[in-house]
Amino acid sequence: MAQRVKRNMSAFDCTRATLVAYVAKKPTLLAIDAGRKHIQLDIKPTFNQMEVWLAEQEG
């Protein structure tokens, strides 16, 4: 049960860190990376994957 709560909270921590970095006027990729650090290792995308996904969204 504790593991499930921790996994669910990591989504909130990821979102919070991303938004705080974005509001602090960090470049988009760095703001997203700030949030990515809060994702558990077994589901965390690599920095390169994030960069590709972001490029697709901007493109």
Side-chain angles (χ1 to χ4, degrees):
M1 187 67 152
Q3 185 65 17
R4 177 179 248 175
V5 170
K6 185 176 179 180
R7 184 177 292 263
N8 289 340
M9 287 304 296
S10 71
F12 292 116
D13 291 337
C14 174
T15 302
R16 178 183 49 82
T18 302
L19 289 174
V20 167
Y22 184 75
V23 168
K25 304 214 187 286
K26 300 287 183 189
T28 304
L29 192 56
L30 292 180
I32 291 172
D33 191 50
R36 185 183 73 88
K37 293 175 184 176
H38 294 275
I39 299 173
Q40 291 186 348
L41 290 175
D42 60 332
I43 59 172
K44 183 188 300 189
T46 65
F47 185 81
N48 290 334
Q49 287 173 321
M50 293 296 299
E51 193 172 21
V52 169
W53 292 338
L54 182 60
E56 289 173 356
Q57 294 302 313
E58 291 177 348

